[in-house]
Amino acid sequence: MIELKQLTKKYGTKKKSTTALSEIDLQVGKGEIFGVIGHSGAGKSTLIRCINLLERPTSGEVWVNGVNLTALGKGDLQKHRRKIGMIFQHFNLLSSATVYDNIAFPLTLTNTPKADIKKKVSDLLALVGLEDHKNKYPAQLSGGQKQRVGIARALASDPDVLLCDEATSALDPQTTDSILRLLLDINKKFNLTIMLITHEMHVIQSVCDRVAVIHAGGIVEEGPVTEVFLKPKHQVTREFINRETTGADALKLALSTTNSESSKQVKITFLGAQTYDSLLSQIVRETGVNFAILQGTISTIKDMPYGQLLVSFEGEASNINRTITLLKERNLDVEVMN
């Protein structure tokens, strides 16, 4: 659905330029929710604006739904842009227009008949839960309601792709969760491809199927969210994940004080139904190894439950090794920390 080929964006002149994006290759499948996470200045906003050519790449190609947008003339590009919806961090609503007129705005630009506009806007108001607010102005709405208007407006032209530029970063946590649930609902109802950028790992963890981590204008890590979140390879990815977890200093202290010849510290990752099984207790009863939990988490990645335990096994080395082997045989991911 979206394919970026060697995408590069530079600002400035040939003599003095700044590279915002460097030779990025990326693919997003039909119906997928794809996240791009990065720190401020990493290039993520430039990346998403290059997809609909609000920013024209210096080199490389942008393909959307089988069409090379970078090869189109102005008229054809405008036509294909209508199939790419976009929602913004600060909503970008027309302050002097009602909710109804804000949502209708893209349709009025294409001379859509009034009866069709009325039907479409009514359907979208129901979808985003704003039927009772259609005659209000943006100043009368909360932040979450404004973003719902922005989402409805982005959907007015029946896009194939929805781009979300930091769509929840101006919202409080509870409102953020409600907007993320709405995006999930839209994705499921319409099989709509959604690409979102964010600096919040919680957003990625809640709704995305796959994620790319951007740093200094390049993609440093990419893959399924479960894989990237649970087995981060790049330091930048680890920083984002560590911000979402607690007790990092206490964990370092625990690891430093539990190290001995008769103990071994191990991180065990549970995924899916195994998260709620008693596999660990079953296996240590069989091997006779004692254990202490140093840190533990149970949560979800999108709809997938997962758990991570950092444990200290104590006992004879052979029994500890057998415990680790049995855990691996149960298809658990086991990482020895020392």
Side-chain angles (χ1 to χ4, degrees):
M1 176 55 69
I2 301 174
E3 185 175 5
L4 308 180
K5 300 180 180 181
Q6 293 289 288
L7 189 71
T8 297
K9 176 64 180 178
K10 295 182 180 181
Y11 295 100
T13 64
K14 290 183 178 179
K15 291 183 178 180
K16 187 177 182 181
S17 66
T18 300
T19 301
L21 301 173
S22 180
E23 299 180 346
I24 288 180
D25 292 310
L26 206 60
Q27 289 186 332
V28 180
K30 172 67 177 172
E32 187 172 32
I33 303 182
F34 190 96
V36 178
I37 190 168
H39 294 298
S40 296
K44 56 187 187 296
S45 289
T46 302
L47 176 66
I48 205 166
R49 289 171 65 85
C50 280
I51 292 174
N52 59 8
L53 267 65
L54 289 176
E55 295 274 1
R56 183 165 282 276
T58 305
S59 61
E61 297 178 354
V62 177
W63 291 74
V64 177
N65 205 14
V67 177
N68 182 2
L69 300 187
T70 45
L72 298 179
K74 185 176 180 180
D76 287 336
L77 176 59
Q78 189 174 24
K79 174 184 173 183
H80 284 279
R81 269 200 186 126
R82 294 186 190 122
K83 304 305 288 183
I84 303 174
M86 190 163 183
I87 58 177
F88 303 88
Q89 176 181 359
H90 296 296
F91 321 123
N92 285 21
L93 301 180
L94 301 170
S95 59
S96 59
T98 63
V99 168
Y100 181 99
D101 289 334
N102 265 282
I103 298 171
F105 183 67
L107 300 173
T108 60
L109 293 178
T110 57
N111 297 316
T112 304
K114 288 187 177 180
D116 293 343
I117 292 177
K118 183 177 181 180
K119 173 68 167 59
K120 187 66 176 180
V121 174
S122 295
D123 290 345
L124 289 170
L125 284 167
L127 177 68
V128 301
L130 293 178
E131 302 101 311
D132 297 333
H133 301 273
K134 68 178 182 179
N135 294 320
K136 291 183 178 179
Y137 291 87
Q140 299 172 287
L141 303 177
S142 67
Q145 289 169 338
K146 290 177 184 177
Q147 196 57 284
R148 286 173 181 267
V149 176
I151 292 170
R153 180 185 59 187
L155 296 176
S157 299
D158 295 319
D160 298 318
V161 173
L162 181 62
L163 304 178
C164 306
D165 186 2
E166 294 277 12
T168 60
S169 63
L171 305 175
D172 63 77
Q174 185 175 357
T175 305
T176 291
D177 288 341
S178 72
I179 294 297
L180 293 177
R181 287 193 298 270
L182 176 59
L183 290 175
L184 269 174
D185 186 44
I186 290 168
N187 169 256
K188 291 175 181 177
K189 280 185 177 179
F190 304 112
N191 195 32
L192 183 66
T193 303
I194 298 176
M195 186 171 183
L196 59 86
I197 65 168
T198 183
H199 62 272
E200 300 171 292
M201 198 67 201
H202 164 71
V203 172
I204 300 292
Q205 183 182 345
S206 298
V207 300
C208 293
D209 302 299
R210 289 193 302 129
V211 60
V213 183
I214 190 170
H215 177 66
I219 302 298
V220 297
E221 190 162 357
E222 179 192 351
V225 176
T226 50
E227 182 178 318
V228 173
F229 186 83
L230 298 177
K231 303 177 187 177
K233 296 180 176 63
H234 196 276
Q235 179 58 33
V236 173
T237 314
R238 295 191 190 102
E239 289 173 5
F240 278 112
I241 293 169
N242 288 340
R243 284 195 329 197
E244 297 294 324
T245 59
T246 57
D249 293 337
L251 175 58
K252 291 178 182 178
L253 179 62
L255 286 172
S256 65
T257 57
T258 55
N259 193 9
S260 70
E261 293 183 1
S262 61
S263 70
K264 187 169 288 188
Q265 285 72 53
V266 175
K267 183 167 71 173
I268 308 167
T269 300
F270 306 81
L271 198 59
Q274 287 183 325
T275 304
Y276 306 109
D277 289 344
S278 57
L279 296 176
L280 179 58
S281 61
Q282 293 172 21
I283 289 171
V284 295
R285 281 199 300 268
E286 181 179 339
T287 60
V289 167
N290 294 318
F291 73 94
I293 297 176
L294 305 180
Q295 190 180 62
T297 299
I298 293 179
S299 190
T300 58
I301 295 176
K302 202 170 183 181
D303 298 324
M304 177 72 71
Y306 78 92
Q308 280 192 322
L309 288 179
L310 184 67
V311 301
S312 177
F313 289 132
E314 297 178 358
E316 294 184 10
S318 60
N319 289 337
I320 292 175
N321 290 335
R322 183 164 175 254
T323 301
I324 293 171
T325 298
L326 290 174
L327 288 168
K328 291 180 177 179
E329 288 178 355
R330 297 292 187 93
N331 295 319
L332 297 177
D333 185 77
V334 182
E335 178 185 354
V336 177
M337 306 297 291
N338 66 335

